[in-house]
Amino acid sequence: MMRTTQRFVVLAAALLAGTPALSQETPWLADARQVASSVPPRLLQVLTEEIAQGGPASAVLACSDKAPKMARAASEQSGWNIRRVSLKNRNPKAVPDAWERATLEDFDRRAAAGENPANLDAFTVVDNGTNKEARFMKALPVQQVCLSCHGPADKLDPDVVAQLRALYPDDKGVGYSLKQIRGAMTIRKPL
């Protein structure tokens, strides 16, 4: 049985998208959850290894290069279009659309109300008049390893700050604390 808040998110997202609310029996939901959960652990492993070998500044470079490649490979393998989005994006390609923004804002409210950020997700079907598209998002909570590059700006290593300025001159992805919602994996696929 869906939690009340999850049911509200699904209903609100469906209303925003102009589609009926979905049930937990949606045939693509289990696949979406698996796909959205597959990339973050691999990325965390890569970043942890980079930090161990070359320090946090090396992880910034690896994340800017390897994360998009990992998402692209997972997209090709799964058939889902996969990307990361954030309300405070680092990469200019990580700006959320309207549904993603509303969902991220809801994730923040739910986490502030005490829900475990690692369990937050949302799904809907969007009908744009031409076709229908399955959409799914899974929250990405800040973990300890993330704070080296996404923590409070005044606590970041000078090499990290220099690397961020070089790669992301309009970076908004700092100032986070442990377990806050950094962003989300967002995936979509035509139905």
Side-chain angles (χ1 to χ4, degrees):
M1 184 164 146
M2 266 199 228
R3 295 184 307 268
T4 303
T5 52
Q6 185 177 12
R7 185 173 299 152
F8 173 76
V9 170
V10 171
L11 182 57
L15 290 172
L16 286 172
T19 60
L22 303 172
S23 72
Q24 263 190 315
E25 290 77 38
T26 301
W28 51 264
L29 185 55
D31 184 47
R33 280 197 170 110
Q34 188 280 324
V35 169
S37 298
S38 68
V39 175
R42 290 184 294 187
L43 180 57
L44 283 174
Q45 180 182 355
V46 167
L47 296 178
T48 301
E49 290 168 3
E50 285 293 331
I51 290 170
Q53 292 174 6
S58 175
V60 174
L61 184 60
C63 191
S64 73
D65 179 53
K66 293 180 181 177
K69 289 177 182 174
M70 292 171 80
R72 207 168 18 259
S75 292
E76 290 169 5
Q77 181 181 14
S78 70
W80 289 86
N81 180 330
I82 302 169
R83 67 187 195 111
R84 294 179 298 164
V85 293
S86 177
L87 294 173
K88 291 173 34 176
N89 62 296
R90 171 158 287 165
N91 185 327
K93 295 178 182 177
V95 175
D97 65 21
W99 182 77
E100 292 164 339
R101 175 171 292 286
T103 302
L104 285 166
E105 289 168 351
D106 184 67
F107 287 170
D108 282 344
R109 283 189 293 275
R110 291 167 60 192
E115 284 190 60
N116 182 346
N119 296 334
L120 298 176
D121 65 22
F123 54 93
T124 193
V125 170
V126 176
D127 186 343
N128 66 14
T130 308
N131 59 16
K132 289 185 180 182
E133 182 176 68
R135 309 249 353 233
F136 180 85
M137 285 180 63
K138 174 146 184 61
L140 295 172
V142 174
Q143 298 181 34
Q144 189 64 45
V145 69
C146 307
L147 294 174
S148 298
C149 304
H150 293 286
D154 61 338
K155 304 271 192 238
L156 297 179
D157 182 279
D159 290 340
V160 169
V161 172
Q163 190 71 282
L164 290 174
R165 284 189 184 135
L167 294 171
Y168 303 107
D170 296 321
D171 179 34
K172 299 174 194 85
V174 297
Y176 286 96
S177 58
L178 201 58
K179 295 188 180 179
Q180 280 188 303
I181 306 293
R182 166 68 188 105
M185 293 301 296
T186 183
I187 68 174
R188 58 193 336 166
K189 176 166 68 170
L191 291 176

